[in-house]
Amino acid sequence: MATFWDQIKRMIFGTTRLTPLSLEQLIIENFMEGMKESTLKNHVYYPTSFTLFLENSDFERLNQHFQSIFEDAVDEFVKILTHSIPKGNYIPHSRTWHMQFIQVTEGTLFQGKTIDLPSGNVLIVSALYPKGEGQKSTNTVVATKTKMGSAGGRYDVNPEILNEITEDGPFSFRKKLVVVPKGVKADNPKLAKQPKASLALISAGTFVGGTKSVGLVESQVKICGRSGFPAAGVQIVRIDDDLVSNPHFIIYANDFDGTFTIEAKANLTLNGKSITGGTEILPNNALIVVSNKYQLRFTIIPPKTNENFFAKWISKIIPAKS
């Protein structure tokens, strides 16, 4: 129950409770501020790496939304850049987007100093490059911190604190940076990975987001429950159910011969056979059943080719009739 003084503060300043949407908006404001400070006359620069410090209770309450916040914020960054970059060839200054969420508990120290971060506040430190990509001398840092009753403002922070943070773990997210300038067709197949296979729910239930089918684009795909967390280079497919394990099973693609393997981490059957705790070759059109509840159809997608080789060869030796 809120204390008398909490009620007074809310009356004066308004609510300071962080929501997924308000946190995303703060990230976008930081991005736009960083782009404004870094862009030159002929070159557009912007933050691509974000480290967010959240107070302990806010972190625990919001951590299941972090992946969605990251993906949604990146979509907004791309929309902004699409309308900011002149038409023509464009090569981003960074290869990836990176976002990491840090839990700040009482007494948390960075560079020997305590970070004072009351509930409802967030410290965002952004940089032009993720760690290891850019030169430190050219890596502009923008830091913003929410304040009681305001959307955010500049905050003095030593950027060297980032050197103490390892960019690994369940709350660290990465995505390839692709921006298509306005007026340029985005249907270039080189701009997006082609699915190697697909998973379709043929029973009740959906994947997170309400879809019934998803393309598998990475060489390692983890199928998880609603709160599954991604890792670098691993695709996460989340069934909209908290009772599904994280991960429940993993699909591996062999990029050399086009075969697939499935590893069962929890209750799982493959084509009617229980494989819980084991690893099996995953055939095309296989039926996968998760915990006797969700039925999924696995389908291999043949790689796309521009033209049938045989048809091209035969047309050279047999001229078409006039």
Side-chain angles (χ1 to χ4, degrees):
M1 180 179 294
T3 66
F4 172 76
W5 290 111
D6 288 334
Q7 295 176 20
I8 292 296
K9 284 191 291 184
R10 280 201 294 268
M11 291 171 62
I12 297 174
F13 300 112
T15 180
T16 59
R17 183 179 175 87
L18 275 177
T19 65
L21 183 60
S22 63
L23 179 55
E24 179 187 1
Q25 185 58 39
L26 288 167
I27 297 169
I28 294 170
E29 289 175 4
N30 180 282
F31 170 82
M32 295 179 69
E33 184 179 2
M35 184 168 68
K36 180 179 178 181
E37 291 196 1
S38 302
T39 293
L40 304 173
K41 287 186 176 181
N42 299 308
H43 293 85
V44 179
Y45 290 99
Y46 43 87
T48 63
S49 180
F50 302 81
T51 305
L52 293 90
F53 298 85
L54 286 87
E55 184 270 339
N56 180 57
S57 64
D58 289 332
F59 186 97
E60 292 292 343
R61 180 168 50 83
L62 296 174
N63 63 51
Q64 291 188 15
H65 298 281
F66 288 164
Q67 179 183 2
S68 297
I69 291 172
F70 166 68
E71 293 174 351
D72 207 59
V74 167
D75 288 344
E76 290 301 311
F77 298 160
V78 172
K79 289 179 184 177
I80 294 169
L81 292 172
T82 296
H83 292 84
S84 303
I85 297 170
K87 181 178 178 179
N89 293 328
Y90 171 70
I91 300 177
H93 63 276
S94 177
R95 297 187 297 274
T96 57
W97 298 107
H98 171 253
M99 193 173 293
Q100 185 167 15
F101 297 82
I102 304 293
Q103 185 173 16
V104 177
T105 57
E106 185 177 355
T108 298
L109 297 176
F110 287 97
Q111 290 240 316
K113 295 182 179 180
T114 302
I115 292 184
D116 180 19
L117 201 63
S119 176
N121 290 259
V122 57
L123 171 62
I124 305 173
V125 181
S126 62
L128 295 184
Y129 304 90
K131 187 183 295 184
E133 274 199 26
Q135 299 177 1
K136 290 184 179 180
S137 60
T138 62
N139 207 0
T140 301
V141 171
V142 176
T144 58
K145 181 181 180 181
T146 59
K147 298 178 181 178
M148 191 74 73
S150 80
R154 289 305 296 264
Y155 179 73
D156 292 330
V157 63
N158 184 350
E160 294 300 318
I161 66 173
L162 301 181
N163 293 334
E164 299 183 11
I165 299 172
T166 301
E167 294 186 354
D168 293 318
F171 304 109
S172 182
F173 308 94
R174 289 184 183 272
K175 186 174 183 179
K176 184 178 179 180
L177 200 161
V178 177
V179 176
V180 181
K182 186 178 181 181
V184 177
K185 291 184 178 180
D187 56 359
N188 186 342
K190 294 182 179 180
L191 295 179
K193 292 183 178 180
Q194 298 298 321
K196 306 172 189 290
S198 68
L199 269 180
L201 270 163
I202 58 175
S203 62
T206 65
F207 297 113
V208 170
T211 61
K212 297 285 287 187
S213 180
V214 64
L216 311 185
V217 298
E218 299 291 350
S219 296
Q220 183 180 161
V221 180
K222 292 184 177 181
I223 289 73
C224 304
R226 187 181 295 132
S227 59
F229 297 111
V234 178
Q235 182 181 358
I236 298 296
V237 173
R238 294 182 296 159
I239 297 175
D240 199 0
D241 187 337
D242 285 326
L243 298 181
V244 176
S245 300
N246 297 318
H248 204 97
F249 65 96
I250 306 173
I251 293 176
Y252 302 93
N254 186 328
D255 294 329
F256 294 100
D257 61 12
T259 60
F260 292 81
T261 304
I262 184 171
E263 179 182 4
K265 295 291 188 178
N267 187 351
L268 198 75
T269 62
L270 174 65
N271 291 334
K273 172 188 174 184
S274 175
I275 61 168
T276 304
T279 301
E280 299 281 343
I281 295 296
L282 184 58
N284 188 30
N285 293 322
L287 178 64
I288 302 167
V289 180
V290 173
S291 298
N292 299 317
K293 183 176 182 180
Y294 296 109
Q295 297 183 23
L296 301 101
R297 180 70 66 187
F298 170 80
T299 305
I300 297 174
I301 300 176
K304 291 184 178 180
T305 56
N306 293 330
E307 188 176 0
N308 181 282
F309 174 79
F310 178 76
K312 184 178 180 180
W313 173 77
I314 203 71
S315 67
K316 290 183 177 181
I317 59 174
I318 305 177
K321 293 182 180 179
S322 57

